[in-house]
Amino acid sequence: MHTPIALLLELGLILAALSLLGTIARRFALSPVPLYLLAGLALGDGGIAPVPAARNFVDTGAAIGVILLLLVLGLDFTVREFTVSLRRHRSSAALDLVLNTTPGAVAGWLLGLDAGGILALAGATYVSSSGIVARLLGDLRRLGNRETPAVLSVLVVEDFVMAAYLPLLAVFASGGTWWQALLAVTAAMTAVAAAIAVSWRWGHHVGRILSHPEAEQVLLRVLGITLIVAALAEIIHVSAAVGAFLIGLALTGTAADRARTVLSPLRDLFAAVFFLALGLTVDPGDLLPMLPAAAALAVVTAATKLATGWYAARREGAGRRGRLRAGTALIARGEFSVVIIGLAAPAQGRLAALVTTYVMLLAVCGPVLARFAPTRQTAPRPPAPRDRAGGRPPEKVSAAPPLPAPPRPGSGRDAAGPD
């Protein structure tokens, strides 16, 4: 068997560079995501050190990375918990849709785009990056925070909206008729509803099938089933990330804990590749001409996402600081916007450059803003008693009462106060 020397060398250098960047980010208590994205810019076409031999591997690894990010995120919740959270955040989802599609639609109209271009730009400004946000919540240790269910509810509703939006955009971009668009949307939403029903009704059977005493078998079974479900989701134009998230929700208790343990190192590897790949898709030469328009759009939609997160976290009972953390966590845009570019760009000359510049700005600045969102109480407060385990008590920074539902044992979610 011939050994692809160029591939091995480029991959080795890429992984070593990502390791160094990750070390630098940790040294300053930052998420490594912005540095990974900038590394992709440097290594992509038009960058300072292209990696043509490794490009196919990176593209494939990126698709696996976003699937693993959402799978592991889903393992921290149950279908019942998440269904309750989604019902609570219907108004948050509606506000998110109105606030974040409007700037894109207005910008498209001002730029003279046609109906397909306006629809595409509205979608690009609406949807946050599930992959980046999922990584941020883990990096910043916020999975147990009071505001996190609100963030996840908004994200998953956006992914469900994408299940209807992407088929609609694909039909319009290809010049299809309204009945073809209606048929595509109906098929996609029916498939999503069926997947949720299966996870709710037979999720415990899924956990029993995927469980095994050996870690190797757990890895092979969970990853294999997840990739199959993700592929089926893509066939009907539903996001692969939605399919992976539903598999994660279906696993509970010991099965979820085992799956999380064996999948976490693999997730970290392919997540880094995913963020690198986002940067690789961008030619730095395309960024400068559209920078003023993209920066203005980024400022406006960062503010609208902040308002969305603030409102959703307030409904979850979070305090001011929790609301600010929720809003900044939602700012980043990423993989869905890249998909939108692929669907609409062939017919829209200026759209690809604008959305690419916009995505890079928010994909880099969003995690930085999330990192520096306030996490501590600045005013002095009386000492609280330690818990029975002798650990430090959670900080209370709001008078809002805690939610009645306790965290699931073994779910990895910490008990957190409404800060």
Side-chain angles (χ1 to χ4, degrees):
M1 182 176 64
H2 174 66
T3 302
I5 297 175
L7 172 62
L8 295 179
L9 181 60
E10 289 182 4
L11 280 179
L13 292 173
I14 286 172
L15 295 179
L18 292 179
S19 173
L20 177 60
L21 293 174
T23 301
I24 295 172
R26 302 295 184 207
R27 174 66 180 81
F28 295 97
L30 294 170
S31 170
V33 170
L35 296 182
Y36 292 163
L37 290 165
L38 293 175
L41 272 178
L43 299 177
D45 297 335
I48 59 176
V51 284
R55 188 62 181 267
N56 289 337
F57 176 88
V58 170
D59 290 342
T60 303
I64 297 174
V66 71
I67 288 170
L68 287 173
L69 280 166
L70 271 295
L71 169 63
V72 176
L73 191 63
L75 292 172
D76 285 302
F77 299 88
T78 66
V79 173
R80 188 173 300 276
E81 286 176 330
F82 207 74
T83 302
V84 171
S85 183
L86 286 177
R87 282 200 294 264
R88 181 183 298 131
H89 289 288
R90 284 177 294 188
S91 60
S92 304
L95 181 70
D96 181 33
L97 182 66
V98 172
L99 285 183
N100 293 288
T101 57
T102 302
V106 172
W109 176 71
L110 291 175
L111 291 171
L113 301 178
D114 60 19
I118 292 174
L119 180 65
L121 191 52
T125 58
Y126 164 65
V127 63
S128 300
S129 170
S130 299
I132 294 177
V133 176
R135 177 61 186 263
L136 278 176
L137 293 176
D139 285 346
L140 302 178
R141 299 181 181 179
R142 294 180 183 173
L143 285 174
N145 283 15
R146 172 59 58 89
E147 74 274 2
T148 297
V151 174
L152 296 180
S153 296
V154 170
L155 283 178
V156 174
V157 170
E158 287 181 355
D159 285 354
F160 287 160
V161 171
M162 286 294 106
Y165 168 82
L166 291 178
L168 184 67
L169 179 62
V171 171
F172 276 115
S174 62
T177 61
W178 66 267
W179 64 266
Q180 290 175 319
L182 180 62
L183 183 62
V185 171
T186 302
M189 297 312 297
T190 301
V192 170
I196 294 174
V198 169
S199 296
W200 177 280
R201 181 67 179 83
W202 293 288
H204 58 288
H205 294 300
V206 175
R208 191 176 302 120
I209 292 170
L210 299 182
S211 297
H212 196 275
E214 296 181 8
E216 177 187 2
Q217 285 295 318
V218 174
L219 174 63
L220 294 175
R221 292 181 183 187
V222 175
L223 184 57
I225 292 296
T226 302
L227 292 177
I228 291 172
V229 171
L232 294 175
E234 287 289 338
I235 288 174
I236 57 173
H237 300 291
V238 178
S239 167
V242 172
F245 189 82
L246 291 174
I247 291 293
L249 288 180
L251 296 175
T252 58
T254 303
D257 293 337
R258 292 290 311 283
R260 189 185 302 107
T261 300
V262 301
L263 287 169
S264 291
L266 199 64
R267 173 206 59 187
D268 294 339
L269 169 63
F270 283 102
V273 174
F274 162 69
F275 299 122
L276 179 78
L278 278 182
L280 286 174
T281 62
V282 179
D283 187 338
D286 294 336
L287 301 181
L288 290 179
M290 300 302 296
L291 187 58
L297 192 59
V299 170
V300 172
T301 55
T304 54
K305 278 294 180 184
L306 184 60
T308 298
W310 183 281
Y311 177 82
R314 186 178 67 180
R315 292 187 60 81
E316 201 68 39
R320 284 181 168 273
R321 297 176 185 276
R323 298 174 199 173
L324 188 57
R325 290 195 297 268
T328 53
L330 290 169
I331 287 175
R333 270 56 163 198
E335 64 278 4
F336 276 121
S337 298
V338 174
V339 172
I340 290 170
I341 295 172
L343 288 174
Q348 308 288 338
R350 292 178 295 172
L351 181 64
L354 174 63
V355 174
T356 297
T357 309
Y358 169 80
V359 168
M360 286 305 302
L361 285 173
L362 291 183
V364 172
C365 295
V368 175
L369 292 173
R371 162 64 182 85
F372 290 105
T375 58
R376 294 176 183 168
Q377 175 80 324
T378 55
R381 61 188 185 282
R386 293 178 177 270
D387 60 19
R388 281 185 283 179
R392 183 180 179 183
E395 294 180 350
K396 184 178 181 182
V397 297
S398 171
L403 290 179
R408 293 186 291 112
S411 69
R413 297 173 64 183
D414 304 321
D419 63 343

